[in-house]
Amino acid sequence: MTDTTSTLLSAALPDPAARALYLAVLREGGRVRAAEVGPDDGPALRRLVELGLLVPQLQDAAYSAVDPRGATERIGTAIRLQSARLLTEAERLPDLLGELTRAYDATPKRRRAATGARYLTAKEDLRHELEQLAKEFPNETMTAQPGGPRPAELLPDSLDRARRVHERGGTVRTLYESSAKLDPATVRFAAEVTRLGCTTRLVDVPFQRFLVFDRTVAVIPAAADYTSAAVVDDPAMVAFVVDTFEQLWQQAEGVNWSALADGSAASTAHEQVARLLARGLTQRAVATRLGLSERTVAGHIARLREQYDAETLFQLGWQMRGERDV
């Protein structure tokens, strides 16, 4: 083995302390809270995160174990790119990470049932389940996210999950309600995942929140307020959810998220108000549809009246509809 190869492998593989911590996390079911990691394990924890063997969950300050096969593939690719001379050493990586892989496979994990549905009521259990499903079914993800913009604190985890799916060659399609276009954080998030190769569209009809992984497993709401979810892998039920997504996808509109991210939220809201007024919606209906206060909508209408030299809301809507039909 050359010195170059030895250095590269040493930098790419977990040291004994990191290996021991990874195995300890697996013994805890593949997930551990940051507060449960002792100060002495700090360097090993950072090392595992750097290698991608542990994934931080920002929402609840926890870490989830990742299948070492992903690290094996990534490290192997890096070695192959160094030179043809390192190809033989790259082929040894599965053996070098074999201990961790065997431990991962042998550890009982909270996995989906063979058929039917399984219910989750704790938010942290749901987040952990989504991480596991994203790793187990990495090829295609369908996501329907209604209710306007998502909480900003959830976006970093979602972006990291989308990045990992993209790195594995998978695809992600996401549906938002139209009001998501007005939220700067959501717009920036959509622009980022679009640059990764994901696709995000807006749909102007009501729909429920759900996710589908590889057209094999669906996560659907088990309560109207989304306080619980069901993980479903019954083929007929999953096919129904997939068909629902595809129908919504055909009705949805594409958006230039990068252009929106470069503009202002105020101008975006102004355009949305104008579009809905041109459809004939009232001020109150526009406010309800966009999740804005009537006072905010009234301010946009005042500027539109000035722009169109309209004295009444009826006259404004009539003029804008006429302009749209030209």
Side-chain angles (χ1 to χ4, degrees):
M1 183 182 298
T2 66
D3 291 342
T4 301
T5 303
S6 299
T7 301
L8 184 58
L9 288 175
S10 176
L13 293 171
D15 57 28
R19 286 173 177 262
L21 180 59
Y22 181 90
L23 296 173
V25 172
L26 290 183
R27 288 193 292 272
E28 295 299 320
R31 188 175 183 278
V32 65
R33 292 181 175 274
E36 297 172 344
V37 180
D40 294 340
D41 290 325
L45 176 65
R46 289 190 293 272
R47 182 61 178 156
L48 290 172
V49 172
E50 291 172 357
L51 294 174
L53 292 172
L54 288 185
V55 176
Q57 305 297 314
L58 304 180
Q59 176 67 16
D60 53 2
Y63 296 86
S64 292
V66 174
D67 189 337
R69 293 181 182 87
T72 300
E73 181 180 355
R74 184 175 65 256
I75 297 166
T77 300
I79 289 177
R80 290 182 180 93
L81 292 176
Q82 294 297 314
S83 71
R85 293 182 295 105
L86 300 178
L87 180 60
T88 302
E89 299 303 330
E91 297 299 333
R92 295 185 55 212
L93 279 169
D95 293 334
L96 295 171
L97 286 175
E99 175 192 1
L100 303 188
T101 301
R102 289 189 294 273
Y104 182 90
D105 291 340
T107 301
K109 302 176 183 67
R110 290 172 288 181
R111 293 185 179 273
R112 59 186 178 88
T115 58
R118 184 164 52 83
Y119 296 90
L120 301 172
T121 57
K123 289 184 178 180
E124 60 181 41
D125 289 340
L126 179 57
R127 282 192 291 271
H128 181 63
E129 183 70 24
L130 292 178
E131 283 292 336
Q132 296 299 322
L133 290 173
K135 292 191 288 286
E136 188 175 353
F137 303 99
N139 299 313
E140 181 183 15
T141 302
M142 304 173 180
T143 305
Q145 290 287 353
R150 300 178 62 192
E153 65 271 15
L154 299 180
L155 297 180
D157 281 345
S158 298
L159 179 60
D160 185 56
R161 188 180 300 116
R163 182 178 292 110
R164 282 183 275 121
V165 170
H166 175 70
E167 289 174 350
R168 291 193 292 266
T171 61
V172 178
R173 288 187 291 162
T174 302
L175 287 168
Y176 283 130
E177 286 185 353
S178 295
S179 56
K181 194 176 180 181
L182 308 179
D183 180 65
T186 302
V187 169
R188 289 192 296 271
F189 168 78
E192 287 291 330
V193 296
T194 297
R195 280 191 279 270
L196 292 176
C198 306
T199 308
T200 303
R201 291 183 179 180
L202 299 179
V203 63
D204 200 19
V205 297
F207 61 93
Q208 294 290 317
R209 177 180 301 160
F210 60 86
L211 295 92
V212 183
F213 296 89
D214 283 8
R215 300 174 181 254
T216 302
V217 179
V219 181
I220 61 177
D225 58 358
Y226 299 119
T227 55
S228 61
V231 181
V232 179
D233 65 358
D234 177 77
M237 295 178 67
V238 174
F240 175 80
V241 178
V242 169
D243 184 62
T244 300
F245 183 90
E246 294 293 3
Q247 291 186 40
L248 289 169
W249 190 257
Q250 293 303 315
Q251 299 177 57
E253 63 173 341
V255 176
N256 187 336
W257 294 103
S258 295
L260 279 182
D262 292 337
S264 67
S267 63
T268 302
H270 194 67
E271 294 169 1
Q272 287 280 18
V273 169
R275 182 170 64 86
L276 294 177
L277 286 175
R279 292 184 181 179
L281 273 69
T282 64
Q283 175 177 310
R284 176 170 294 182
V286 171
T288 300
R289 179 71 63 86
L290 298 181
L292 302 174
S293 69
E294 286 196 52
R295 178 177 296 181
T296 299
V297 173
H300 288 295
I301 291 175
R303 290 193 293 276
L304 288 166
R305 280 179 176 171
E306 182 178 351
Q307 177 182 341
Y308 284 88
D309 192 22
E311 295 183 1
T312 66
L313 183 59
F314 175 80
Q315 185 181 9
L316 173 62
W318 181 267
Q319 291 180 211
M320 288 193 301
R321 283 196 294 274
E323 182 183 85
R324 184 186 63 179
D325 293 337
V326 172

